[in-house]
Amino acid sequence: SSVLVSLRVQDEEEMMQEMNTLQTILLDDTASLQEKNDAYDSLQTLNSNKGKEEKLEKKIKDTYKLDSFIKIKNEQINVTIASKEHNSTLANNIIRSIQEEYDQKMYITVKFQA
């Protein structure tokens, strides 16, 4: 779906900008040790979330045969499904299957877009 492609491109651009900013901090001689540690931790989180997003998209594809775009930010997970059909039962099932992957409560939203 072109909607998913558009979301992915936008997400990649935002992620690259954020990574560049964090890498600049890591290489800055005037940055404090705490700033560098925070930047490093943020980079690790970005990379970890990217892997989780891909894993969850694959799970939705395998389980529900649907293409999706997932964005994780803190405890918020936004799911965009490429489908004209807005099905609340399907949305609830997707939310449950994503929550299964986490020990703590996540705030998961599902949006259908064609």
Side-chain angles (χ1 to χ4, degrees):
S1 158
S2 62
V3 171
L4 297 183
V5 170
S6 160
L7 288 170
R8 279 197 177 80
V9 167
Q10 181 182 349
D11 183 56
E12 283 295 320
E13 288 173 358
E14 289 172 7
M15 187 173 169
M16 291 306 294
Q17 285 178 335
E18 192 170 349
M19 289 178 91
N20 286 338
T21 302
L22 294 169
Q23 288 170 343
T24 301
I25 293 169
L26 285 173
L27 299 173
D28 185 352
D29 292 337
T30 62
S32 72
L33 185 59
Q34 184 62 49
E35 289 170 320
K36 289 184 179 196
N37 284 340
D38 290 347
Y40 178 79
D41 289 345
S42 293
L43 273 173
Q44 294 295 94
T45 300
L46 277 177
N47 287 325
S48 172
N49 283 350
K50 192 71 183 157
K52 289 176 187 173
E53 290 165 357
E54 290 169 1
K55 178 182 173 187
L56 292 172
E57 286 172 5
K58 182 178 179 343
K59 182 175 185 173
I60 290 171
K61 180 73 169 175
D62 293 347
T63 307
Y64 302 102
K65 309 294 185 247
L66 294 168
D67 290 324
S68 63
F69 170 79
I70 296 181
K71 182 66 184 164
I72 300 172
K73 188 144 182 115
N74 302 320
E75 290 84 39
Q76 180 73 39
I77 301 176
N78 296 312
V79 181
T80 303
I81 302 293
S83 173
K84 289 179 183 165
E85 183 183 346
H86 294 58
N87 181 326
S88 59
T89 302
L90 176 61
N92 285 329
N93 289 338
I94 290 170
I95 289 169
R96 278 191 208 95
S97 64
I98 289 174
Q99 184 60 58
E100 287 172 357
E101 301 292 321
Y102 293 89
D103 294 331
Q104 79 271 20
K105 174 75 175 124
M106 302 300 282
Y107 300 97
I108 304 164
T109 59
V110 175
K111 179 169 58 173
F112 294 92
Q113 277 190 290

